[in-house]
Amino acid sequence: MKFTFEEMNLVCIYDTGDRLSLIADIRGSLPHVYDMELRGIMETVIAKLEGMADVEFDAIDFVPADDSNYDDDMEG
């Protein structure tokens, strides 16, 4: 599953130890986020996480992205 620069950095502020817990944590934050662009990113990340298997999730190296060396098509 591919994550954009913004999505990867968002995910990295949460505990990425478990896919389902990560989904719950991001979903739990949604009511507190009023920026519509950020909400959209969060909803996209939730959809991507729900669409992958735990094995695929476990293979991703969740490291904050640096825009100077980040390819927007980078696969995590």
Side-chain angles (χ1 to χ4, degrees):
M1 182 64 57
K2 295 180 181 182
F3 291 95
T4 67
F5 169 80
E6 291 84 3
E7 292 167 349
M8 182 60 77
N9 282 326
L10 171 72
V11 169
C12 287
I13 68 172
Y14 293 92
D15 180 359
T16 59
D18 174 77
R19 183 180 65 87
L20 294 178
S21 295
L22 177 57
I23 292 168
D25 289 347
I26 296 172
R27 186 171 280 130
S29 296
L30 278 171
H32 309 288
V33 176
Y34 301 102
D35 180 278
M36 296 310 291
E37 183 177 354
L38 180 54
R39 284 183 66 89
I41 294 168
M42 294 169 79
E43 290 166 353
T44 299
V45 168
I46 290 169
K48 287 181 178 184
L49 291 169
E50 288 177 335
M52 70 174 61
D54 288 332
V55 169
E56 187 177 4
F57 176 83
D58 292 340
I60 298 172
D61 185 20
F62 289 105
V63 177
D66 177 343
D67 67 351
S68 67
N69 63 9
Y70 193 83
D71 176 5
D72 203 31
D73 291 331
M74 180 183 209
E75 187 167 346

